[in-house]
Amino acid sequence: MSRSGINSTVYHGEVCLGDAEVFPTNNHAFPFPSNEIRISHLSPPSERCPPLSILQTISPFSVRCKVQAKSVTEESLLRRLYLSCFQEYKSAVVVVGKEELHLVAMPSKVEKVPCFWCCAVQAGLYASCLGMLNLRCLAIVFDLDETLIVANTMKSFEDRIEALSRRIDVEDDPVRVSGMSAELKRYIEDKDLLKQYIENDAVSDNGKLVGVQNEEVPGLPGSQERIVRPVIRLQERNIVLTRINPEIRDTSVFVRLRPAWEDLRSYLNAKGRKRFEVYVCTMAERDYALEMWRLLDPEAYLIGSRQLLDRVVCVKSGSRKSLQHVFQDAVCHPKMAMVIDDRLQVWDDKDQPRVHVVPAFTPYYAPQAEMANTVPVLCVARNVACNVRGGFFKEFDESLLRKIFELCYENDILDLPYAPDVSDYLMSEDTNVVPNSNKDVPISESMNGSEAERRLSPPVHLGDEQQMQHQAQTSLSSLDDELSVNRASANNRSCLDSETGQMTLLPSSLFIGVLQEIGRRCDCKVEFRSVIGSSKDLHFSVEVLFSTEKIGIGMGRTRKEAQLQAAENALRNLASDYLLRLYFVSISFGNAGNYVSFIAPNSGSTNRESDNSSLGTENGFLRDIINPVPDEPSRKDDLVGASTSEQMAQSNDSGGFSSVLSSIRELCLEGQNIVFRDQAPASVTLNKGEHYFQVELAGQILGKGVGLSREEAKLQAAEEALRTLKATHSSQRQISNSLRCNS
């Protein structure tokens, strides 16, 4: 930095504080008009975050210039400003157009005069993000239709019933007829409930008459109108009936709330501690959107009534959603926000890495899908939000803050540390998970956009927008065409019961998704690798590698079936490890504790009668039973325990075996015995003169070896066993480190 700066005068309001030199950085133009630095106000003090850490997070590498006071007197007003900012974590703000220039007090290695870095940021953004970062709070943006709710009017019910009935009349496949008939029955039952509500202000629920309760809608800012809606809430069934315009019965709506919403809702703002600032971005019409959100958040627990108009954002049809639009009033930076939506492509490209895509909510087409997995969809979303927040503030607190405190006025701008971004901690959409696009779901089950406009207008003029994607066409003919899609596609891993018509989604998304999340949190790569199957009937075999260590294997008639089984077996193996059980608890992985108990009820014991295509575990080590060893009495020289290992080592010509065996024993727990078996399983074919050995620990095969001599085969098996143990201990250390970091 050149020592010849630009002379400027510093003012706070109309009070002159003194003279300073300004040194522009990175060829930036001089930022202050008329060589005057006019401070309009000081930022609010921060509780724990120095101003530079906030500015680097919301406006990285935005240092426009460096400012150094020319006066060195201790009583100068400029020095008082410097000390106030430095000690109270405040910045001095200069407003230039739509930007704020923040003067950040910096320590100096040499000079004893007030020194500042000047950073540029969008006006208003600093104050908003300051509070969030102090409280370790992020922003979360929800879509409504088919993400959190499904809503229908009488007209939308009638259209869907008519379309399904026509399709059933021309369908020949009895399985598809059964499935569509069951779906049709569900539509008819809900339509009848809505009809009772419209006509009688009451419904019959399992023989019990339930009447409306008048719910007063909190007034919006600037509105004196008092609105009272007749509402019926069937809590146990997640059903709500409401009326958009209380005076017009034709605006009645039947709403199904997505299961586990209360779990997610309570996490976002638990016991008064706000973890996320909540926003809504939808393509639905505003009056409809406001009422749907009120049903989800009746006590204004997540969004206060004064914030509703700003935080419920409705996007016009044909436009893409964007975080910039949601935060247009500089209430948050997109880097500090995540999105929950059932569609990815409706978001701007730059925002898509911050979108957690959930499967569309389909209570009519697949009512059992939500509960098919041990962890419901919205509980998974809650866990993802928890992990995102944890990762973001771990990086912010442990890395960015620490490095910011090490910076001085003399540092170069490039010395600023990397700032965290929500997209760094959000898992990307995976092709192995149940498809989020729901290609096999033929029609939208909720009333959206232009459909809402058609069915709730003209009295309340609802719905200028329509959903993008498969909501683009809402005519009856398009619904009829879309219904021709096969509803029992194997790609969605769904099974349709021909008797009940119930759709059940297999939990492939749970197994694979949880496994990948564990790998991400442990900083270990999870890979699925195809191998040659050993069975004539099962044509595909897949191994799961956890940082190059094989932790599961599965076989099936299709690659997906093998992959699913491999993921499930891998989770069984990981679940038996005590450290990982603690890890599941530490990351609050929803119902993962129940899930672990479910998939590993007998961890720590070997069941020979279990499925031979899986991997079992005991004491944290792998047991490969693809080629099981027959139960038979062990030969006397097979058992190598604490008392016999020395004899085995002495019987070998080379000292290599003794060294390997000693290393193996160091990695084993006290009292554990290593077993060497020389009987090859039936699946292993040996050439003439070859010998086979395998190393077992508590019934688990750790290594195998084939050689021209017994010693060679035994050494090869021992070396492989040692590598297996080292890899297992390495994984456990990584999990332990992750536990300590997350505690």
Side-chain angles (χ1 to χ4, degrees), residues 71-77 79-80 83:
S71 172
V72 294
T73 61
E74 293 188 2
E75 297 302 320
S76 70
L77 296 178
R79 179 171 177 77
R80 291 183 184 179
L83 291 175

Side-chain angles (χ1 to χ4, degrees), residues 26 28 69 132 201 210 212 217 278 302 349 421 499 700 741:
N26 297 333
H28 281 133
M132 295 175 65
D201 281 345
V210 181
V212 300
V217 180
V278 178
L302 299 179
D349 294 342
D421 187 319
E499 295 181 2
Q700 305 165 36
C741 291

Side-chain angles (χ1 to χ4, degrees), residues 561-572:
E561 183 180 336
Q563 186 182 59
L564 171 60
Q565 187 186 89
E568 181 180 357
N569 290 333
L571 282 173
R572 283 197 179 97

Side-chain angles (χ1 to χ4, degrees), residues 298-309:
E299 299 92 4
Y301 183 71
L302 299 179
I303 302 179
S305 57
R306 294 183 179 181
Q307 301 171 311
L308 272 175
L309 291 180

Side-chain angles (χ1 to χ4, degrees), residues 283 318-320 343 345-346 466-472:
M283 290 182 178
S319 301
R320 297 179 87 180
R343 296 174 181 85
Q345 299 304 322
V346 298
Q466 62 181 21
Q467 284 279 16
M468 297 175 70
Q469 305 289 326
H470 66 283
Q471 277 297 107

Side-chain angles (χ1 to χ4, degrees), residues 163-269:
L164 272 170
S165 299
R166 289 209 314 268
R167 181 56 58 192
I168 291 172
D169 290 341
V170 298
E171 181 57 61
D172 296 328
D173 186 341
V175 175
R176 295 180 64 189
V177 168
S178 176
M180 288 189 288
S181 298
E183 183 179 2
L184 178 65
K185 179 182 177 182
R186 290 188 280 271
Y187 275 121
I188 291 174
E189 289 174 350
D190 285 358
K191 172 178 172 283
D192 289 343
L193 280 177
L194 181 59
K195 183 179 180 182
Q196 294 176 41
Y197 168 73
I198 293 173
E199 294 177 351
N200 306 317
D201 281 345
V203 300
S204 177
D205 180 34
N206 293 325
K208 180 182 177 181
L209 190 65
V210 181
V212 300
Q213 297 291 326
N214 290 324
E215 295 184 0
E216 183 171 357
V217 180
L220 297 174
S223 174
Q224 302 298 323
E225 184 180 7
R226 180 175 178 269
I227 299 176
V228 178
R229 287 197 173 95
V231 177
I232 294 178
R233 293 179 181 267
L234 306 179
Q235 302 281 10
E236 294 182 358
R237 297 175 60 186
N238 288 324
I239 291 173
V240 184
L241 297 103
T242 187
R243 205 163 287 153
I244 305 300
N245 187 330
E247 306 300 323
I248 302 175
R249 292 181 178 269
D250 286 344
T251 64
S252 299
V253 183
F254 185 102
V255 185
R256 283 190 172 271
L257 309 182
R258 193 161 201 163
W261 162 246
E262 285 301 320
D263 291 331
L264 174 55
R265 176 174 175 260
S266 62
Y267 165 75
L268 298 173
N269 195 355

Side-chain angles (χ1 to χ4, degrees), residues 144-145 282-286 288-289 314-315 447-449 463 465 467:
L144 289 176
D145 292 299
T282 177
M283 290 182 178
E285 187 272 340
R286 176 168 289 277
Y288 165 84
C314 297
V315 178
M447 177 190 61
N448 298 294
E465 300 85 26
Q467 284 279 16

Side-chain angles (χ1 to χ4, degrees), residues 117-185:
W117 280 11
C118 176
C119 304
V121 68
Q122 181 184 356
L125 186 59
Y126 179 92
S128 299
C129 296
L130 163 65
M132 295 175 65
L133 292 173
N134 272 333
L135 296 174
R136 293 185 176 88
C137 177
L138 296 177
I140 191 167
V141 183
F142 288 106
D143 173 50
L144 289 176
D145 292 299
E146 298 188 23
T147 297
L148 300 180
I149 58 123
V150 162
N152 280 284
T153 62
M154 283 295 290
K155 185 65 170 66
S156 65
F157 274 138
E158 290 167 357
D159 286 351
R160 285 158 174 75
I161 290 170
E162 182 180 353
L164 272 170
S165 299
R166 289 209 314 268
R167 181 56 58 192
I168 291 172
D169 290 341
V170 298
E171 181 57 61
D172 296 328
D173 186 341
V175 175
R176 295 180 64 189
V177 168
S178 176
M180 288 189 288
S181 298
E183 183 179 2
L184 178 65
K185 179 182 177 182

